[in-house]
Each structure stands twice: as structure tokens, then as C-alpha cells.
Amino acid sequence: MTEAEVSITVVDLDGEKPGDREILNTDERERADRFPVAELRRRYVAGRAAVRRALGEVVDSDPSGLMFDYSPYGRPDLVGHDSISFNYTNSGAIGIIAISRSGRVGIDVEVIRPDFADLRIAERSFAPAEVARLRALPHEERNLAFLRCWTRKEALLKAVGGGLTLGLR
């Protein structure tokens, strides 16, 4: 990976790999164990292991030995590798990892669900001009437009480091 590249990895969170759980640190394993549903536990473990493997490859280190520091908003940074920025997102069985050497990176994904684009959510979360654009769309186009707007905004906020606490307006 060159300095100007951003590496994007798509992860099948239902594709469990041998050794996934062993790559995680104690805190990550404990967090996984707190998920009340087995499917969510497996997906969490698969996602965290994939992040560790991808970062380990970039910095040429054992994935299980990587350490993370977290911002007050929960954004992780790779300890000892200040030039590496990464972000992870998941929705359903899909996880996506973005890694950059040239600046902060953020990424987001959402499973498309029918009629998710509730205008009440848009009114609370989007700028008035964005809400007006959504209202002007035919109903059948609104859901995809809403999700495109939402994921772009969330990815930007994740790159900045505050996440949704900064608001989507």
C-alpha cells in the first residue's frame, strides 16, 4: 500500500475463519461474550479479527499483538503507528475496513431495508435543504437517497473522529 492509497477490504462476517477468536485481546473476547445472540457474537469476532489481520499485514506485525487506543468518542487508533488511519463499519453480514497512510479515513455501510427512509429521521438529522430534496423525490427513490446521504455523512464524521455525536446536519 503506497502513501496515497486507501485500502478497502470487504469482509463476509458470516465466513468464520479458524483462529479468529484467538487473535482478539481479552477485552475484545469479553465484549464478544456479552452479545446475547450467537450470530452477533460470531460477526463481532469475525469483524475484529479481520481488522487485526488487515492492519497486521499493513504494518507487518502479528495481528494478535496489535494494541489500540480509543478517543473519547470510541474511535480507535493503532498504537505505535501514527501514520496509519483506519476505520471499520458493519451492517448485517457485511463488514468493511478502510486503511490509509495519508490522512484520516472514515467509512460506513448500511443494509438497504425497505421503507427505512423515514422523513422524521431526516428532519432530525439532515440539513433543511437535504430534507427538501428527499421530499421532492418519488417515494420509491427516497430510501436509497436517504441511505446514501446518511452513509456519506456518517463516514465523514467517523473520519473526523466524533462520529454521530457531532450530528449529521
Short mmCIF file of all heavy atoms in Angstrom, two decimals, residues 1 4 16 19 21 37 44 85 90-91 94-95 107 119 142 153 167-168:
data_model
loop_
_atom_site.label_atom_id
_atom_site.label_comp_id
_atom_site.label_asym_id
_atom_site.label_seq_id
_atom_site.Cartn_x
_atom_site.Cartn_y
_atom_site.Cartn_z
N MET A 1 0.85 -1.18 0.00
CA MET A 1 0.00 0.00 0.00
C MET A 1 0.90 1.24 0.00
O MET A 1 1.72 1.41 0.88
CB MET A 1 -0.89 -0.04 1.25
CG MET A 1 -1.82 1.12 1.36
SD MET A 1 -3.08 0.84 2.62
CE MET A 1 -2.46 1.87 3.90
N ALA A 4 -0.38 7.22 -0.84
CA ALA A 4 -1.56 7.90 -1.37
C ALA A 4 -2.78 6.98 -1.48
O ALA A 4 -3.86 7.44 -1.78
CB ALA A 4 -1.24 8.49 -2.73
N GLU A 16 -16.73 -17.44 9.10
CA GLU A 16 -15.83 -17.60 10.24
C GLU A 16 -14.53 -18.27 9.79
O GLU A 16 -14.53 -19.23 9.04
CB GLU A 16 -16.52 -18.46 11.29
CG GLU A 16 -15.89 -18.41 12.64
CD GLU A 16 -16.74 -19.12 13.68
OE1 GLU A 16 -17.96 -19.27 13.44
OE2 GLU A 16 -16.19 -19.51 14.70
N GLY A 19 -9.23 -19.62 14.14
CA GLY A 19 -8.32 -18.75 14.88
C GLY A 19 -8.81 -17.33 15.07
O GLY A 19 -8.10 -16.53 15.69
N ARG A 21 -11.08 -15.98 17.03
CA ARG A 21 -11.23 -15.61 18.43
C ARG A 21 -9.86 -15.48 19.12
O ARG A 21 -9.67 -14.60 19.96
CB ARG A 21 -12.11 -16.62 19.16
CG ARG A 21 -12.47 -16.18 20.56
CD ARG A 21 -13.53 -17.10 21.15
NE ARG A 21 -13.73 -16.82 22.55
CZ ARG A 21 -14.53 -15.87 23.04
NH1 ARG A 21 -15.23 -15.12 22.22
NH2 ARG A 21 -14.64 -15.67 24.33
N VAL A 37 -26.87 -12.73 21.39
CA VAL A 37 -27.24 -13.59 20.26
C VAL A 37 -25.96 -14.15 19.63
O VAL A 37 -25.03 -13.40 19.32
CB VAL A 37 -28.06 -12.79 19.22
CG1 VAL A 37 -28.41 -13.63 18.02
CG2 VAL A 37 -29.29 -12.18 19.86
N TYR A 44 -19.19 -10.15 15.36
CA TYR A 44 -18.26 -9.24 16.05
C TYR A 44 -16.84 -9.82 16.01
O TYR A 44 -15.89 -9.12 15.67
CB TYR A 44 -18.71 -9.00 17.49
CG TYR A 44 -17.70 -8.21 18.28
CD1 TYR A 44 -17.66 -6.82 18.20
CD2 TYR A 44 -16.78 -8.84 19.10
CE1 TYR A 44 -16.72 -6.09 18.90
CE2 TYR A 44 -15.83 -8.12 19.81
CZ TYR A 44 -15.81 -6.75 19.71
OH TYR A 44 -14.87 -6.03 20.41
N SER A 85 -4.20 5.39 9.55
CA SER A 85 -5.57 5.67 9.95
C SER A 85 -6.44 4.54 9.42
O SER A 85 -6.24 4.07 8.29
CB SER A 85 -6.05 7.00 9.37
OG SER A 85 -7.43 7.21 9.64
N ASN A 90 -19.87 -2.04 9.89
CA ASN A 90 -20.57 -3.27 9.54
C ASN A 90 -22.07 -3.05 9.58
O ASN A 90 -22.57 -2.17 10.26
CB ASN A 90 -20.18 -4.42 10.48
CG ASN A 90 -20.61 -4.15 11.90
OD1 ASN A 90 -20.01 -3.35 12.60
ND2 ASN A 90 -21.65 -4.81 12.34
N SER A 91 -22.75 -3.87 8.82
CA SER A 91 -24.20 -3.88 8.80
C SER A 91 -24.61 -5.25 8.31
O SER A 91 -24.18 -5.68 7.24
CB SER A 91 -24.74 -2.78 7.89
OG SER A 91 -26.16 -2.71 7.97
N ILE A 94 -22.12 -7.89 6.47
CA ILE A 94 -21.07 -7.21 5.71
C ILE A 94 -20.25 -6.31 6.63
O ILE A 94 -20.80 -5.50 7.38
CB ILE A 94 -21.67 -6.35 4.58
CG1 ILE A 94 -22.42 -7.22 3.58
CG2 ILE A 94 -20.59 -5.54 3.88
CD1 ILE A 94 -23.25 -6.44 2.60
N GLY A 95 -18.94 -6.46 6.56
CA GLY A 95 -18.03 -5.56 7.24
C GLY A 95 -17.12 -4.92 6.20
O GLY A 95 -16.82 -5.55 5.18
N ILE A 107 -15.53 5.33 7.03
CA ILE A 107 -16.31 4.52 6.09
C ILE A 107 -17.60 4.10 6.79
O ILE A 107 -17.64 3.98 8.02
CB ILE A 107 -15.50 3.30 5.60
CG1 ILE A 107 -16.14 2.68 4.36
CG2 ILE A 107 -15.27 2.29 6.71
CD1 ILE A 107 -15.19 1.84 3.56
N LEU A 119 -38.95 10.18 6.92
CA LEU A 119 -38.67 11.62 6.84
C LEU A 119 -38.51 12.25 8.22
O LEU A 119 -37.83 13.25 8.36
CB LEU A 119 -39.76 12.33 6.03
CG LEU A 119 -39.67 12.11 4.53
CD1 LEU A 119 -40.86 12.75 3.83
CD2 LEU A 119 -38.37 12.66 3.97
N ARG A 142 -36.72 7.39 -2.52
CA ARG A 142 -36.37 8.06 -1.27
C ARG A 142 -35.46 7.22 -0.36
O ARG A 142 -34.53 7.73 0.24
CB ARG A 142 -37.65 8.43 -0.54
CG ARG A 142 -37.49 9.58 0.39
CD ARG A 142 -38.81 9.99 0.99
NE ARG A 142 -39.58 10.75 0.03
CZ ARG A 142 -40.87 10.98 0.12
NH1 ARG A 142 -41.56 10.50 1.13
NH2 ARG A 142 -41.50 11.69 -0.78
N LYS A 153 -22.50 10.98 5.25
CA LYS A 153 -22.33 11.85 6.42
C LYS A 153 -21.65 11.09 7.56
O LYS A 153 -20.73 11.60 8.20
CB LYS A 153 -23.68 12.39 6.89
CG LYS A 153 -24.26 13.46 6.01
CD LYS A 153 -25.68 13.76 6.46
CE LYS A 153 -26.21 14.97 5.78
NZ LYS A 153 -25.74 16.21 6.39
N GLY A 167 -23.34 15.15 15.13
CA GLY A 167 -24.59 15.44 14.43
C GLY A 167 -24.42 15.34 12.92
O GLY A 167 -23.34 15.50 12.39
N LEU A 168 -25.52 15.07 12.26
CA LEU A 168 -25.49 14.90 10.80
C LEU A 168 -25.91 16.15 10.03
O LEU A 168 -25.88 16.16 8.82
CB LEU A 168 -26.43 13.74 10.41
CG LEU A 168 -25.97 12.35 10.86
CD1 LEU A 168 -27.06 11.33 10.58
CD2 LEU A 168 -24.69 11.96 10.14
#
